[in-house]
């Protein structure tokens, strides 16, 4: 079986960039997601546990507004957390080793082959 990725020749792990802020961000993201879920769900739960005075219809309307606000804040914060996580993953990947993408040989620029003076097929003279 062929290896999926081949590291570039001459790569050593000594030259690898040290982990920075992206590692701290990636370690904190599970807690951030749990905090977002908890804090955005808390208002909806608290509103339902409270005793309200007034008509049942106005109480239901208020609970519905609180739920919609909590959902809006949840989706906004959750999307921000996902984007930050994706950015940290991309930075981690970019700091990793280089891999061979296309394994074809190129002409060495220090000693190029002699150019042939034959015209290209589409050239006009």
């Amino acid at each position: 079986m062929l290896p999926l990725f081949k590291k570039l020749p001459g790569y050593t792990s000594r030259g690898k960039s040290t982990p920075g802020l992206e590692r701290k961000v990636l370690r904190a993201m599970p807690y951030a997601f749990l905090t977002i879920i908890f804090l955005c769900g808390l208002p909806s739960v608290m509103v339902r546990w409270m005793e309200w005075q007034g008509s049942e219809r106005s109480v239901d309307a208020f609970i519905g507004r609180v739920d919609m606000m909590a959902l809006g804040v949840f989706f906004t914060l959750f999307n921000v957390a996902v984007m930050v996580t994706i950015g940290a993953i991309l930075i981690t990947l970019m700091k990793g080793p280089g891999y061979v993408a296309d394994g074809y040989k190129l002409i060495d620029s220090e000693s190029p082959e002699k150019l042939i003076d034959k015209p290209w097929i589409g050239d006009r003279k």
Side-chain angles (χ1 to χ4, degrees), residues 30-100:
Y31 302 110
F33 282 115
L34 290 175
T35 303
I36 290 170
I37 291 169
F38 176 73
L39 290 180
C40 291
L42 188 63
S44 295
V45 172
M46 293 299 290
V47 164
R48 284 175 171 75
W49 280 351
M50 291 179 158
E51 292 289 329
W52 295 99
Q53 295 177 359
S55 68
E56 186 176 330
R57 190 172 186 170
S58 65
V59 171
D60 287 342
F62 179 73
I63 290 174
R65 281 193 297 269
V66 169
D67 288 345
M68 289 299 136
M69 293 271 260
L71 276 174
V73 171
F74 171 75
F75 286 126
T76 301
L77 293 178
F78 194 82
N79 283 332
V80 167
V82 167
M83 292 301 132
V84 168
T85 304
I86 290 172
I89 290 170
L90 287 176
I91 291 171
T92 303
L93 289 175
M94 286 189 292
K95 282 187 173 183
Y99 292 100
V100 175

Side-chain angles (χ1 to χ4, degrees), residues 13-31:
S13 61
R14 282 187 228 148
K16 189 174 177 182
S17 299
T18 58
L21 181 62
E22 72 277 357
R23 292 289 181 172
K24 293 177 186 174
V25 168
L26 285 175
R27 285 188 192 112
M29 289 321 289
Y31 302 110

